Amino acid sequence: MQNSRGRRRAAGPASTPRVVEVITAERPRDLHRDARRRRGPLRQITEFAAASGIGQKAGIALAATGLVLTVTVPATSPVMATDATGGSPVAASSVTPQPQVSAEAGAQIDFSRSAVVTQADPDGKLKQLLSAQSAGAISRAASAGSLGAPLAVMTTASPFGYRVSPITGGNGDFHRGQDYVAQCGTSVMAAATGTVTFVGWHQFGGGNRVVIDHGNGLETTYNHLSSFSVKEGQTVSRGDVVALSGTTGASTGCHLHFEVQVNGEVVDPTGWL
Ligand SMILES: [Zn+2]
């Protein structure tokens, strides 16, 4: 096939196995849209902000208003600075005249929640995101890196989104998740702490499927599995093995179909990994 510039169009990555599957939504979208709209004041604020042209970032800022951590500042010690010769620290005021800034002992300073991150907790970023707003209000830039990888080795076999159908060859096939290369029997891990809400057969192509609810409208699903390692209702931690990969359901080869759902609608998983 030739494109308009006369170059040969690549037929696709040759190094990744071609696996195909068709997974369809199990429910019409519009039924849940109304329910989502009624969710809560924060979402309404952000939707209002988006609709009125303030933009998503402003919406998030609005949503975060009031979620502040109050810190009490103890009686202060002098601000120190190092002088240019590399000598011992000297009082900042002796280097450059500083505007008079003072805080009385016991003064309160408000930090926004985003300034406080618990680095030791692998779920820290996700908890912080979801505690401040519903998942639907979170931008891709903010969510990136908040979920853990469901496989030890992550090699994309087929990306999320519209694609040429691997079965019919037609355009407009919507791929609801991200496919990753995984030999059958590979450990599949929880992307974050959550509660297992479904373990069983997905009638719409996913085959053996696990769904984990991470709260605030965020869910992940794991599909085409060969076996399960968890039960419904079980609490799992990030990195816990929840299943072994397989090729059950509408699948032509071993791989993991991984989905991220926000308020019941699939989103691009790469925006969260
Ligand atoms: Zn898939």
Side-chain angles (χ1 to χ4, degrees):
M1 182 195 254
Q2 300 264 320
N3 64 18
S4 59
R5 293 184 181 176
R7 267 181 291 178
R8 189 171 292 275
R9 186 175 291 171
S15 57
T16 54
R18 289 207 158 261
V19 288
V20 298
E21 97 286 72
V22 176
I23 298 179
T24 55
E26 57 264 48
R27 54 207 175 205
R29 295 169 62 149
D30 287 344
L31 286 181
H32 287 257
R33 183 156 292 166
D34 288 344
R36 281 195 307 282
R37 290 257 158 86
R38 292 192 294 269
R39 276 221 170 179
L42 291 184
R43 183 167 178 85
Q44 287 171 20
I45 289 169
T46 55
E47 287 186 349
F48 167 77
S52 57
I54 300 172
Q56 193 173 30
K57 282 190 176 174
I60 290 169
L62 281 171
T65 301
L67 295 172
V68 292
L69 175 66
T70 300
V71 175
T72 301
V73 177
T76 52
S77 55
V79 177
M80 304 300 282
T82 304
D83 68 23
T85 61
S88 57
V90 294
S93 58
S94 71
V95 177
T96 317
Q98 298 288 319
Q100 184 72 27
V101 178
S102 62
E104 294 177 11
Q108 290 188 334
I109 296 176
D110 290 336
F111 290 96
S112 73
R113 199 180 262 270
S114 61
V116 184
V117 179
T118 307
Q119 296 291 348
D121 181 358
D123 280 305
K125 180 173 181 180
L126 185 63
K127 288 176 184 169
Q128 184 187 336
L129 278 173
L130 296 180
S131 64
Q133 59 226 304
S134 76
I138 297 170
S139 71
R140 183 186 174 103
S143 62
S146 58
L147 288 179
L151 295 168
V153 177
M154 297 280 279
T155 304
T156 296
S158 182
F160 171 88
Y162 285 100
R163 62 179 180 182
V164 173
S165 170
I167 293 176
T168 67
N171 289 316
D173 177 40
F174 187 75
H175 187 216
R176 295 174 54 80
Q178 187 92 354
D179 288 350
Y180 293 102
V181 175
Q183 294 198 344
C184 288
T186 303
S187 292
V188 175
M189 298 171 288
T193 294
T195 303
V196 177
T197 54
F198 180 82
V199 175
W201 186 259
H202 183 246
Q203 296 183 22
F204 303 89
N208 287 329
R209 170 173 163 114
V210 168
V211 178
I212 302 176
D213 185 349
H214 306 289
N216 287 55
L218 182 68
E219 296 167 284
T220 53
T221 85
Y222 312 78
N223 303 271
H224 309 311
L225 306 168
S226 60
S227 67
F228 302 120
S229 311
V230 291
K231 294 188 169 77
E232 284 180 12
Q234 187 174 334
T235 300
V236 292
S237 298
R238 175 180 298 234
D240 284 356
V241 175
V242 297
L244 298 180
S245 65
T247 182
T248 54
S251 171
T252 62
C254 300
H255 74 287
L256 175 68
H257 172 98
F258 174 66
E259 295 175 346
V260 177
Q261 297 193 356
V262 170
N263 297 328
E265 284 191 18
V266 292
V267 297
D268 186 350
T270 63
W272 289 79
L273 293 170

